[in-house]
Amino acid sequence: MKSEPFVYHSPSSVEEVVSLMNEHDHAELVAGNQSLAIQMNNRLATPDHLIDLNGVDELAYVDERDGEIEIGAMTTHKTIANSDAIDRTVPILAEAAQQIAGPSVRNVGTLGGGIGEADPAGNYPTVLTALDATITITSESGDRDVGVDEFFIAYMMTEVGENEMITGATVPTDPFPIGRTGMSFLELKRVPHTWPKLSAAGIVRVDDPTRDDPTVEEARLTFANASDTPLRVEAAESAVEGTSLTDDALEEAAEIAMDSADPADEMQAEAEYKEEQVGIFTKRALREAYDRALDQ
Amino acid sequence: MSMIFDGEFETHRAPDELWTYFVDPDIVADCAPGMEEMNRISDSEYEATITVGVGSVKPTFSVDATVLEMEEPEMLVMKAEGSGGRKGAFEAVSRMEMSESEDGGTILQWEAEANVSGIIASLGQRALGSVAERLIGQFFDCMEGKVEQGVDATPRMAPKSDAEADLD
């Protein structure tokens, strides 16, 4: 099918986008258009106005500052995957971008689109949750910053309200000192270019990688598609913190993570299978993150 | 496609305190997510226009709601039929039960069985269930807020005598 008719707008600044949203009812923002077009062509989504963000150049940036890195909403997956600044400070984000779909999607798909879609299987929501990022939401009354833990509300439902737009994401980098931090992003995906059945993001910071059996100072563990929003398992993180990532600690973390998961059945992956995989991916992601923290 | 949603909600207010609010159609309409308009047909029947969204999918439904059973202050059963034009339709029977908790508050349990048809059904139970449960959570939070604020409530709903709690 083809979409229902709509009026197309092509603003060139955030200010213009915000005023267009206020001016028109039933308006939808479009970024890389890798998901919205499908829903429009199926006539599930029938906006009267389409506001195209591709002319808003001010939203495509990677800004590395002291203690944080900020990425604009219109930055493409490809740019994120190839960014030296991101690869150096928060490599897991570059890895996650590199694993989204195929090259044609990565060339146009954007960070803001991926966050706004809030698909439970999405890479960015899970990785940004592991990184404890902040999402900036902009409207006529200015910017407001929302922590990722509050941003994702339900399946494809976020904190973004009427006449608001996502303008960027900011990741604090202080918790991840280069040289003793390792990050890992793993997908359970049997076929390339599809959505993963499950993904895990693991981050480990050790005290001193040159010592024998370095101790985990801080760990992060999150999952995609293990629940209807990104799942962070803080109790599993605590289980490995203060240890040298022993098998026992990993086993305990895996048990806790499996208990916390509440995945949905899918045609090619039953809930029970995904739950089992949560345990396996807990161990793999934390192990890989730990090994990377030591190997620098 | 047939779906079952359910959930539980707790508050420190007693069931008989809450009851008045749940049977005041104006307060219910005020708290219902996406409610654009509601008209009273009788104390048992209401028609409403509701827009709810899953991402960029935002169907507007014309809803006919009927009160089927009422047992003050513990049980309320309603039926709703909604038509979203070309996007599809649903019919649902919801049952809400309130019981007093040990500390004098209320444990509210709800369950809804729905038949969803048309292209909205292609979103699947995973999406619709997640969003429905979240929206109902927002509804109960709002209702609790009304009770806490001490908003005036007038019990006006009445069960329809000959109605049945079955889906067609």
Side-chain angles (χ1 to χ4, degrees):
Chain A
M1 284 207 294
K2 289 291 170 199
S3 74
E4 285 191 13
F6 56 86
V7 180
Y8 176 79
H9 303 269
S10 184
S12 54
S13 69
V14 169
E15 200 185 338
E16 229 181 304
V17 176
V18 168
S19 78
L20 281 168
M21 285 194 292
N22 284 310
E23 223 170 287
H24 301 290
D25 286 339
H26 307 293
E28 202 69 61
L29 301 180
V30 59
N33 203 23
Q34 297 305 293
S35 301
L36 182 61
I38 300 168
Q39 294 190 325
M40 286 178 64
N41 286 345
N42 286 330
R43 301 207 170 183
L44 271 164
T46 52
D48 293 334
H49 296 268
L50 206 58
I51 304 172
D52 186 351
L53 301 178
N54 285 283
V56 187
D57 296 338
E58 64 187 289
L59 288 180
Y61 61 87
V62 176
D63 186 11
E64 189 185 0
R65 296 190 292 260
D66 193 26
E68 60 185 21
I69 187 162
E70 184 181 331
I71 301 130
M74 287 301 289
T75 311
T76 63
H77 308 325
K78 184 186 175 188
T79 303
I80 292 170
N82 295 337
S83 161
D84 289 337
I86 292 173
D87 186 49
R88 196 175 60 251
T89 55
V90 283
I92 198 174
L93 187 58
E95 264 185 71
Q98 184 59 39
Q99 292 184 50
I100 296 172
S104 60
V105 171
R106 292 196 292 271
N107 284 342
V108 286
T110 66
L111 177 78
I115 300 171
E117 182 179 23
D119 191 295
N123 290 7
Y124 290 135
T126 300
V127 165
L128 291 174
T129 301
L131 293 168
D132 202 15
T134 299
I135 313 292
T136 305
I137 300 173
T138 304
S139 69
E140 206 169 30
S141 43
D143 291 348
R144 65 185 180 105
D145 291 331
V146 180
V148 270
D149 53 334
E150 288 176 7
F151 183 84
F152 299 102
I153 296 176
Y155 185 99
M156 291 192 172
M157 196 181 205
T158 70
E159 258 292 306
V160 182
E162 280 294 302
N163 301 339
E164 286 190 319
M165 67 186 293
I166 298 165
T167 42
T170 305
V171 179
T173 50
D174 283 342
F176 317 117
I178 297 164
R180 56 190 184 100
T181 305
M183 302 185 179
S184 166
F185 179 72
L186 300 172
E187 289 186 330
L188 174 61
K189 186 158 80 171
R190 300 293 183 219
V191 183
H193 299 205
T194 57
W195 291 94
K197 299 298 166 214
L198 183 83
S199 308
I203 303 177
V204 168
R205 185 184 75 233
V206 297
D207 54 351
D208 180 358
T210 61
R211 267 185 34 182
D212 286 343
D213 299 327
T215 301
V216 177
E217 275 187 355
E218 189 178 355
R220 304 271 176 88
L221 180 68
T222 61
F223 293 92
N225 229 11
S227 179
D228 61 350
T229 54
L231 176 68
R232 181 171 173 187
V233 194
E234 291 183 63
E237 296 169 359
S238 306
V240 299
E241 284 167 354
T243 75
S244 55
L245 208 77
T246 55
D247 288 346
D248 284 352
L250 271 182
E251 194 59 50
E252 192 191 338
E255 290 292 332
I256 295 169
M258 282 192 284
D259 282 347
S260 311
D262 181 23
D265 280 324
E266 276 178 80
M267 199 189 285
Q268 304 92 343
E270 288 175 356
E272 201 183 329
Y273 167 73
K274 286 190 206 169
E275 233 170 85
E276 210 178 284
Q277 294 296 319
V278 165
I280 294 168
F281 273 67
T282 297
K283 294 182 199 171
R284 283 188 192 161
L286 290 174
R287 172 62 66 195
E288 185 169 71
Y290 184 80
D291 288 347
R292 285 177 174 180
L294 269 50
D295 180 29
Q296 333 206 5
Chain B
M1 183 172 56
S2 174
M3 292 184 237
I4 290 178
F5 311 122
D6 55 32
E8 196 177 288
F9 188 77
E10 271 190 70
T11 164
H12 69 275
R13 298 280 180 173
D16 50 4
E17 260 184 295
L18 298 177
W19 179 261
T20 318
Y21 288 81
F22 279 96
V23 292
D24 180 330
D26 291 333
I27 288 183
V28 170
D30 212 24
C31 282
M35 177 73 75
E36 287 171 15
E37 200 189 345
M38 191 191 75
N39 295 312
R40 174 187 170 278
I41 310 293
S42 70
D43 284 343
S44 310
E45 291 163 299
Y46 302 87
E47 56 175 31
T49 306
I50 296 176
T51 300
V52 286
V54 181
S56 52
V57 182
K58 296 165 187 159
T60 297
F61 293 101
S62 301
V63 179
D64 293 318
T66 311
V67 182
L68 299 180
E69 289 174 50
M70 277 171 63
E71 268 176 42
E72 184 179 356
E74 55 201 28
M75 189 187 70
L76 184 61
V77 181
M78 298 185 78
K79 182 172 182 168
E81 288 176 272
S83 165
R86 278 176 289 182
K87 286 188 186 165
F90 73 88
E91 54 170 357
V93 171
S94 71
R95 168 186 287 265
M96 183 185 89
E97 285 181 30
M98 297 201 278
S99 55
E100 197 168 320
S101 58
E102 277 175 18
D103 58 1
T106 301
I107 298 170
L108 189 157
Q109 288 169 307
W110 65 270
E111 187 185 76
E113 190 184 351
N115 284 332
V116 181
S117 59
I119 49 176
I120 50 164
S122 68
L123 292 169
Q125 160 106 39
R126 174 168 164 250
L128 297 175
S130 167
V131 171
E133 282 167 21
R134 179 69 204 182
L135 291 176
I136 288 164
Q138 286 176 359
F139 169 71
F140 287 135
D141 285 343
C142 172
M143 293 297 282
E144 189 182 30
K146 298 280 183 195
V147 181
E148 293 300 327
Q149 290 160 30
V151 173
D152 281 339
T154 316
R156 268 182 299 160
M157 286 185 195
K160 195 177 177 196
S161 52
D162 57 344
E164 284 178 25
D166 291 330
L167 293 181
D168 294 334

